[in-house]
Amino acid sequence: MLTHYPPNEPERMPPLSLAVRAGDLLFVSGAGPFDENWQIAKGDFPAQMRAVLADLDRTLARAGTDRSRIVKVNVLLTREEDIPVMNRLYAEWFGAPPFPARTTAVVKALPVPDFLLEIECVAAVG
């Protein structure tokens, strides 16, 4: 059985679910750096990273899990120079090791031109 978690404001989103639960796994779509007011901190990587992590927290909570249950993370960055700051903020968000499996890639562009990153993950539920 699949459970879909649609966006709260679907008119602002592309055609996707924020997350889909399949059995005991939750697949979370890539979170962009919008804050709760749909604003982007243009050019400010730490602010964008914090907005993405807060969005992931909200999505995970809505599906009945949390960051401690994340098993895999994919991080997409548009600037290689942001990797050290991303690693620091990522480690702070997760706390002490062990950390989830992770892939980090630097890409040419993301769907919204002002996005400096996007993060998706898979988490255990139940």
Side-chain angles (χ1 to χ4, degrees):
M1 179 171 167
L2 299 178
T3 304
H4 293 260
Y5 297 88
N8 291 331
E9 298 182 57
E11 67 279 357
R12 292 182 179 257
M13 299 289 291
L16 55 76
S17 291
L18 295 179
V20 177
R21 181 177 176 172
D24 290 337
L25 292 177
L26 181 72
F27 297 85
V28 180
S29 293
F34 290 110
D35 66 17
E36 290 184 356
N37 298 313
W38 289 94
Q39 300 298 308
I40 300 172
K42 295 179 182 178
D44 184 341
F45 183 82
Q48 287 198 18
M49 179 79 176
R50 288 184 186 97
V52 166
L53 297 175
D55 185 55
L56 288 174
D57 275 334
R58 286 188 297 274
T59 300
L60 292 165
R62 184 172 172 198
T65 192
D66 62 54
R67 71 179 85 152
S68 72
R69 310 273 328 249
I70 294 175
V71 296
K72 175 69 168 101
V73 177
N74 292 322
V75 179
L76 302 174
L77 304 172
T78 61
R79 304 186 311 201
E80 186 175 355
E81 63 267 21
D82 292 325
I83 292 173
V85 174
M86 183 274 300
N87 279 327
R88 180 179 56 79
L89 295 172
Y90 181 93
E92 289 173 5
W93 188 66
F94 276 108
F99 298 110
R102 185 181 94 191
T103 300
T104 302
V106 177
V107 298
K108 183 177 178 180
L110 290 166
V112 176
D114 290 321
F115 280 14
L116 299 177
L117 77 152
E118 186 172 320
I119 298 177
E120 66 179 20
C121 66
V122 178
V125 183

